[in-house]
Amino acid sequence: MKKILLLTLPFATLLTLSCGNNIEQQQAATATEKALAESKKAFRAVEDLNNDYREIPDEKMLENGGQNSAIYGEMKKRYKAQLSEFKKEVESTGAKFIVVIITPEVGPGITNRTRYGHPFIKSTCTELGIEHYDLSPAIAAQNPDVITQAPKDGHWSKKGAIFLADQLEPIITKYSTHKTTTTYPDAQRTETFGDLAPGSDEILDGGKNLPYRVVANAQGLRMNEDVKFPKTKQHILFMGGSQIYSPFLDNDFIATTLLAKRHPEMVIMNSGMISGCTDDFLSLWKEKAKYSEPDVVIVQTNGTDITDLFFTNRNHLARSKQPYYPSAEEEKYFRNTYRK
Amino acid sequence: MLFNTKEFAIFFAITLAIYWLVKPWRNVQNLVLLAGSYYFYNNLHYTFPIYLACMIGVGYVSAILIDQQTQQTKRKAILIVGICLLGFGLTYLKYSTLILGNITGLEQWQASAIGIIVPLGISYYTFSSIGYITDVYRKRLPAQQNAITYATYVSFFPHLLCGPIASSVAVLPQFSKTNVPTWAQIEQSVAEILWGLFKKMVIAANVEKVVNYCYASHEDLNGSTLFLGVTLFNLYLYADFSAYSDIARGVARLLGIELTQNFKMPFFSRNPGEFWRRWHTSLRKWMLDYLYLPMGGNRGSKLQYVIVMLFIFSFSGLWHGANMTFVCWGLLNGIYFLPYILTDKLTRYKDVVAKGKLLPSGKEFLQLLLTFNLITLTRIFFRAPDMTVVKGLITKIFSASILAVPLKLVVTNVAICLPMLAVEWVQREKEYVLQISTKYPALRILGYIAVIFLIYWLHKRQNTSEYYYFKF
C-alpha cells in the first residue's frame, strides 16, 4: 500500500500542478478576454463619437477674439490641471520635472495658439512652481531655411537639431547630479517605455518625399541603444511631440542623439511622438515611461497643446484610444460652430 | 486612379460589363471605351483630356490629309507639319523650362511659369500619334476614317499613362473588329494582372521608401549601402514599370485588344544589347522604326553606326526629362554598346539564356552579373535629381567604403526582391511569368489563389504612390 502511495505521489503532484497551471492559465485568459472586450467597447465608443463629432477646431477656436471665450478658458483650465498632475506624478518618483516651450513657428506669422498660449503656459508653470524654459524667442531669431526642412516642412533640419541640442544642453547639465528616489523591480517594469514598435528599423517619409530612418530600441524609444537596468548612469527622459521625435531626420542627427554623444555619462531617452499633447505625454508617463527610472524629465509643450485638449481632437488623435465625452461647454461650442 | 486601387477595380468592372453588353455594335463599344478613357484621364486633372483631344484632332486630320494626297512632296510636307504640331505640345510642356528658362526675357513663357501642368502620359500618346501619321505616310496602313475608332485607339485607358506605346499597325486595326477573348486568353490576362499586382504592391511598394532614402541620404551612407541602394532602385524600377505594363496588357486583353509585351525578363540578359531588346520594348521599337532606321541604322560605316546609336540613346535620355542626368544616362548606355558594335556582337543572344537548363553555366552567370551591374550603374544617373548627387554617389561607391558593412535595412530590402527574380528565372522560357504548365486546371487555379493570398498578406498598407514612369 505504501509503495502504491509512493508511486502515486509524483503523478498526484504533477496532476495538482497541472490543474493549478490550468487554473492560472484560465484566470489569465479570462483577464485577457475581459481586457480585450473592454478595449473593443472603448474602440466602438470612440468610433461612434468620431462619427457624431468629426470636426477639430484647432486654430479656429482662437479666431475673432476666441482667446477670451469660455471654451478656450475651459481648455486652459484642463491644461493647467494636467500640468499640475504631471508635476505631482513625476516629482513623486523623486525625478526633476522641467517644461520646455518649443515651437517651430518663426517670424511674424505666428499662430494665435502660440500668441495666446505661450504667455499662459509660462504663467501656469510659474504658478505651479515648475521650472520652465521658453525656447521660442531663440528659435524665432533663426533663419527657417537653415534650421527647418523649409519649404517642404517646418520640422528640424540637421542644423536645426544641432541648434536645439545647444539650447537643451545647459538644462540637462544643470541637473547632472540629480537622482530619482524610485526604482522598480524587473517584474514590475513594463517592457517598453515609448510608443514606437520595439526594435523597429524603417524608412518613413511623412508623404513629403523627405525619407528618414527611424530606429527604435527594444523599449520603443527613438534611440539606437537599449536602456539597461540596474542603472549605472543618470537617465534623462525627453517627452513631447514631433519637435522631440524629430521627423525627417535619421536617429543619428536628432537633438537627443546629439546630446547623448556629447554626454556619454548620461542616458538620454527620447519618447517623442509624431503627434501628441500633454494629455498623451501624461498617459504615456503613467502607463510606461516612468518605469524607465528617469532622474530628470523634460516635457516639451507649446500653445497647440491647449487647444488639442478639445474632445474631438482627443477622440481622433489620443494615444489612449479611450472615449472623450464632451463637456457642456464643448458641446455648446461644437453645436454653435459646426452645426448651425 | 491607379491600377492597384479599389476605384480602378470598380471602374474597370463597370466598363468591362457595358463593353461586352454592347458587343454586337463595334462603334458603340468604342464609344464606351472612349467615354471610360476620358473619365479615367479626367480623374487625374480636368485639363488633361483637353490636351488629349487636341493631339487626337491633329493626328486624325494629318493622317487623312496625307492619305488623300498623291504627290509625295505634299504628303511629306503634311507629315512634317503634323509631327511639328504633335511634337510642339510635348516639347513646350516638358522642355520649356530648359529652353526658355535660360533665355533672358522669355522666362515668363515657361509652362511652369504660366501655371500649366504637364499632362501625365503625354509622351506616350504623342509618340503613338507621331508613329501613326508616319505609318500612314509610309503606307503601312490606311488613314483611319472613323474619328471615334481613332480617338479610342489613342486614348485607350490601359496604355494611356505609361504605355506600352501602341504600334498603330498592330493595335489600331483591333479597334475596328470585335475580338472575344478565349478562356485561355482570359486566364493569361488574369495571370498577368496578378503578377503585375504582386510586383507593384508587394515588391515596388515595399522597397520604394528605402530607395528614396538611399538617394536622399547619400552623404550619410557608406559605399556598399549606396551600391545596394542603387541596385534596389534597379529592381524597384523593373517591378514598378513592368507591373504597369503587365496589368495594362491583361486589362486590354479582357477588352479584346492585344498590346505589345513591354518587358521580357530583362535581367536575364547576357549583354546590354540583349537587355535593351527585353526592356521597354515598345519605346525601343518606336525609336527603331521612326529614328534609327530613317537615320540609316547600321547600313553605313561603323562610325556612322556608333554616332546613330549615341544619338538614339541621348534622345531616349532627353525623352525621360530635360536634365543632364538623363542625357548622361542615355550616353552611358550608348557607350556600353560600343565594344559590341565594334566586334559585331551586339545582336547576339536572341534566345533565352540557359534554355532547357535549371541553372546558367559559369560563363553565362558572369555575363548576367556583368550586364546587371552595368545597368545598375546607369541607374545612378537615372534616379539622381542632379549631377551633384551623381557625383556624390559615384565618389562613395567607388571608394574604400564599398567594402564597409552595408545597412541591414537595405540588404533586407534587396532580399525582398529576390523571390520575384527567382520565379521569373524559373519561368523565363514561358510566354508570361505565371504560365503554369499543367493539364489540371485546379492546380493552376490554386497557383493563382496562392498569389492572391501573397499579395493580400505581403502588400504595403496605405501605399498610394504613383507608378514611377508616370512622370515621363
Side-chain angles (χ1 to χ4, degrees):
Chain A
M1 189 63 185
K2 206 176 176 182
K3 275 184 185 173
I4 293 170
L5 274 173
L6 275 171
L7 278 171
T8 324
L9 194 65
F11 293 106
T13 315
L14 275 174
L15 195 69
T16 318
L17 279 173
S18 74
C19 282
N21 279 345
N22 277 342
I23 292 163
E24 275 170 22
Q25 278 169 4
Q26 276 172 7
Q27 281 172 342
T30 317
T32 315
E33 275 171 24
K34 210 174 159 186
L36 204 68
E38 272 172 18
S39 107
K40 269 185 188 170
K41 200 176 151 191
F43 181 77
R44 272 198 297 271
V46 172
E47 236 181 13
D48 289 345
L49 279 162
N50 284 339
N51 281 334
D52 293 343
Y53 304 92
R54 288 175 192 276
E55 296 84 355
I56 302 172
D58 290 339
E59 185 71 7
K60 195 179 179 71
M61 197 185 282
L62 293 169
E63 282 172 4
N64 308 319
Q67 73 273 21
N68 300 316
S69 63
I71 187 67
Y72 191 54
E74 182 165 317
M75 295 303 109
K76 286 199 285 190
K77 221 180 270 177
R78 203 173 286 176
Y79 178 83
K80 187 178 172 181
Q82 283 199 338
L83 214 53
S84 170
E85 187 188 353
F86 211 159
K87 179 181 185 273
K88 273 184 204 146
E89 281 276 341
V90 172
E91 287 181 349
S92 70
T93 68
K96 177 72 189 169
F97 183 69
I98 297 168
V99 163
V100 284
I101 302 171
I102 302 174
T103 175
E105 289 175 23
V106 176
I110 60 165
T111 60
N112 283 336
R113 290 198 284 178
T114 294
R115 186 171 292 120
Y116 305 121
H118 287 191
F120 171 74
I121 294 170
K122 284 192 269 186
S123 66
T124 304
C125 285
T126 309
E127 195 185 326
L128 296 173
I130 299 170
E131 186 165 333
H132 61 279
Y133 298 87
D134 184 3
L135 304 187
S136 46
I139 296 168
Q142 304 302 307
N143 179 355
D145 292 339
V146 175
I147 65 160
T148 72
Q149 304 273 357
K152 283 188 175 177
D153 189 81
H155 288 94
W156 305 114
S157 63
K158 282 183 190 173
K159 284 185 178 162
I162 295 170
F163 163 78
L164 180 63
D166 292 342
Q167 300 295 311
L168 295 171
E169 195 173 7
I171 303 172
I172 60 165
T173 49
K174 186 177 172 187
Y175 291 98
S176 60
T177 55
H178 190 89
K179 284 196 178 352
T180 177
T181 51
T182 309
T183 55
Y184 297 95
D186 285 345
Q188 198 183 338
R189 200 189 323 279
T190 49
E191 284 181 13
T192 58
F193 310 137
D195 280 347
L196 296 179
S200 58
D201 180 358
E202 58 179 333
I203 306 295
L204 302 175
D205 68 4
K208 295 188 174 180
N209 199 19
L210 287 168
Y212 65 104
R213 184 175 170 219
V214 180
V215 176
N217 71 359
Q219 291 127 340
L221 296 167
R222 191 163 185 209
M223 52 195 286
N224 299 335
E225 309 294 330
D226 294 344
V227 183
K228 292 184 181 74
F229 296 93
K231 282 163 64 176
T232 53
K233 296 175 180 179
Q234 190 192 30
H235 284 191
I236 311 283
L237 175 66
F238 278 93
M239 303 191 78
S242 57
Q243 298 303 319
I244 294 297
Y245 168 87
S246 305
F248 312 117
L249 287 179
D250 288 6
N251 275 32
D252 288 347
F253 305 114
I254 63 177
T256 48
T257 308
L258 299 177
L259 287 171
K261 280 180 190 163
R262 291 181 198 177
H263 293 279
E265 75 284 6
M266 296 173 176
V267 175
I268 310 278
M269 301 181 286
N270 183 332
S271 71
M273 44 187 86
I274 195 82
S275 81
C277 65
T278 42
D279 182 50
D280 300 302
F281 314 150
L282 179 57
S283 99
L284 178 68
W285 169 264
K286 287 181 187 171
E287 196 186 310
K288 37 187 170 176
K290 66 178 178 186
Y291 297 105
S292 64
E293 297 179 11
D295 300 293
V296 180
V297 177
I298 298 172
V299 176
Q300 175 259 329
T301 188
N302 59 41
T304 60
D305 287 359
I306 302 169
T307 48
D308 281 356
L309 295 175
F310 193 74
F311 80 105
T312 54
N313 177 298
R314 298 292 72 211
N315 281 320
H316 280 92
L317 302 168
R319 66 177 290 280
S320 67
K321 306 293 172 211
Q322 292 297 315
Y324 289 70
Y325 293 97
S327 67
E329 196 57 54
E330 284 174 310
E331 181 78 46
K332 191 176 140 195
Y333 172 81
F334 190 88
R335 297 277 160 215
N336 287 341
T337 312
Y338 300 109
R339 301 285 184 270
K340 276 179 189 168
Chain B
M1 200 174 355
L2 302 173
F3 278 169
N4 51 304
T5 57
K6 199 164 60 183
E7 291 76 26
F8 180 78
I10 295 167
F11 158 77
F12 180 57
I14 295 169
T15 310
L16 190 70
I18 302 173
Y19 180 77
W20 288 115
L21 269 176
V22 296
K23 184 187 148 204
W25 308 284
R26 181 67 237 187
N27 256 335
V28 183
Q29 277 190 310
N30 282 344
L31 273 174
V32 171
L33 283 186
L34 191 59
S37 298
Y38 268 79
Y39 171 78
F40 176 82
Y41 206 33
N42 188 60
N43 249 310
L44 297 165
H45 198 267
Y46 71 97
T47 57
F48 292 179
I50 301 168
Y51 298 106
L52 181 61
C54 292
M55 290 288 183
I56 289 170
V58 172
Y60 177 74
V61 172
S62 302
I64 299 240
L65 290 176
I66 290 168
D67 217 17
Q68 283 171 350
Q69 204 45 254
T70 48
Q71 279 185 27
Q72 185 58 16
T73 46
K74 285 187 179 170
R75 284 168 63 86
K76 200 169 195 170
I78 298 167
L79 173 72
I80 291 167
V81 171
I83 291 175
C84 288
L85 284 173
L86 290 168
F88 173 76
L90 179 66
T91 312
Y92 177 70
L93 290 168
K94 276 186 82 168
Y95 307 101
S96 60
T97 306
L98 181 77
I99 301 164
L100 301 178
N102 292 317
I103 303 172
T104 317
L106 293 178
E107 299 96 333
Q108 72 270 27
W109 295 104
Q110 297 171 60
S112 54
I114 298 172
I116 299 176
I117 304 168
V118 181
L120 292 183
I122 186 169
S123 302
Y124 299 95
Y125 55 76
T126 302
F127 274 30
S128 282
S129 306
I130 289 174
Y132 164 66
I133 61 169
T134 311
D135 285 339
V136 172
Y137 169 79
R138 289 175 180 170
K139 298 188 177 172
R140 292 176 73 190
L141 85 164
Q144 176 57 249
Q145 301 296 321
N146 187 328
I148 301 289
T149 306
Y150 177 69
T152 311
Y153 153 74
V154 178
S155 58
F156 188 45
F157 67 86
H159 69 196
L160 183 64
L161 300 180
C162 222
I165 299 166
S167 151
S168 56
V169 177
V171 179
L172 179 54
Q174 295 183 52
F175 287 90
S176 300
K177 54 187 179 184
T178 299
N179 299 309
V180 182
T182 61
W183 280 114
Q185 285 174 320
I186 291 171
E187 186 179 336
Q188 182 181 347
S189 296
V190 171
E192 282 185 324
I193 291 170
L194 284 179
W195 189 240
L197 290 175
F198 177 83
K199 283 189 285 188
K200 174 66 183 171
M201 296 170 76
V202 177
I203 306 292
N206 275 300
V207 305
E208 184 186 10
K209 279 184 185 161
V210 178
V211 169
N212 294 343
Y213 171 74
C214 288
Y215 277 82
S217 307
H218 66 93
E219 286 171 355
D220 309 319
L221 301 173
N222 62 33
S224 59
T225 304
L226 290 177
F227 178 70
L228 287 177
V230 179
T231 304
L232 194 62
F233 173 60
N234 198 12
L235 295 166
Y236 156 80
L237 189 66
Y238 169 66
D240 188 83
F241 191 15
S242 68
Y244 186 95
S245 298
D246 285 356
I247 300 168
R249 249 165 78 84
V251 163
R253 196 181 297 104
L254 290 174
L255 295 162
I257 305 293
E258 190 67 39
L259 296 179
T260 317
Q261 191 181 0
N262 222 6
F263 291 88
K264 297 173 180 172
M265 302 182 199
F267 290 140
F268 308 135
S269 304
R270 284 150 289 186
N271 68 27
E274 188 183 8
F275 176 84
W276 281 105
R277 287 195 300 276
R278 295 174 175 277
W279 177 278
H280 204 178
T281 60
S282 64
L283 178 66
R284 177 186 168 272
K285 190 173 182 317
W286 192 94
M287 300 266 187
L288 205 70
D289 282 352
Y290 308 111
L291 280 177
Y292 176 77
L293 292 176
M295 287 175 77
N298 60 356
R299 280 168 297 184
S301 65
K302 281 259 165 76
L303 181 66
Q304 272 176 300
Y305 187 11
V306 166
I307 290 169
V308 169
M309 202 53 92
L310 289 176
F311 172 80
I312 299 284
F313 271 109
S314 306
F315 181 87
S316 170
L318 272 176
W319 174 80
H320 284 90
N323 192 330
M324 188 48 77
T325 54
F326 286 121
V327 177
C328 291
W329 167 80
L331 277 174
L332 185 57
N333 274 295
I335 290 166
Y336 285 166
F337 274 38
L338 296 186
Y340 300 97
I341 289 173
L342 297 173
T343 53
D344 292 321
K345 288 178 178 170
L346 189 63
T347 53
R348 288 203 307 180
Y349 308 128
K350 287 184 176 159
D351 213 346
V352 68
V353 63
K355 197 171 182 182
K357 294 177 193 162
L358 179 64
L359 295 171
S361 66
K363 184 189 166 193
E364 283 168 336
F365 178 73
L366 288 175
Q367 285 175 320
L368 296 180
L369 200 64
L370 177 68
T371 308
F372 180 82
N373 283 311
L374 286 174
I375 298 301
T376 297
L377 284 180
T378 68
R379 299 299 182 211
I380 294 174
F381 296 89
F382 195 82
R383 171 66 179 72
D386 53 52
M387 291 306 282
T388 315
V389 176
V390 167
K391 193 181 161 198
L393 283 162
I394 291 178
T395 311
K396 281 273 183 74
I397 289 172
F398 292 99
S399 73
S401 73
I402 190 74
L403 301 171
V405 179
L407 259 190
K408 194 178 152 199
L409 183 72
V410 183
V411 179
T412 314
N413 274 268
V414 172
I416 288 173
C417 303
L418 297 182
M420 169 186 77
L421 292 182
V423 171
E424 295 208 347
W425 172 262
V426 171
Q427 295 290 89
R428 70 194 182 284
E429 290 179 45
K430 302 280 170 57
E431 205 181 325
Y432 55 95
V433 176
L434 291 186
Q435 190 175 19
I436 305 166
S437 307
T438 170
K439 54 185 174 181
Y440 304 109
L443 274 183
R444 296 205 301 270
I445 291 167
L446 267 180
Y448 302 140
I449 291 171
V451 177
I452 293 171
F453 176 72
L454 283 174
I455 294 169
Y456 178 76
W457 187 38
L458 301 171
H459 81 272
K460 179 89 176 169
R461 264 73 182 171
Q462 294 171 330
N463 182 282
T464 51
S465 58
E466 288 181 347
Y467 290 83
Y468 195 82
Y469 254 74
F470 275 11
K471 64 180 79 161
F472 306 130

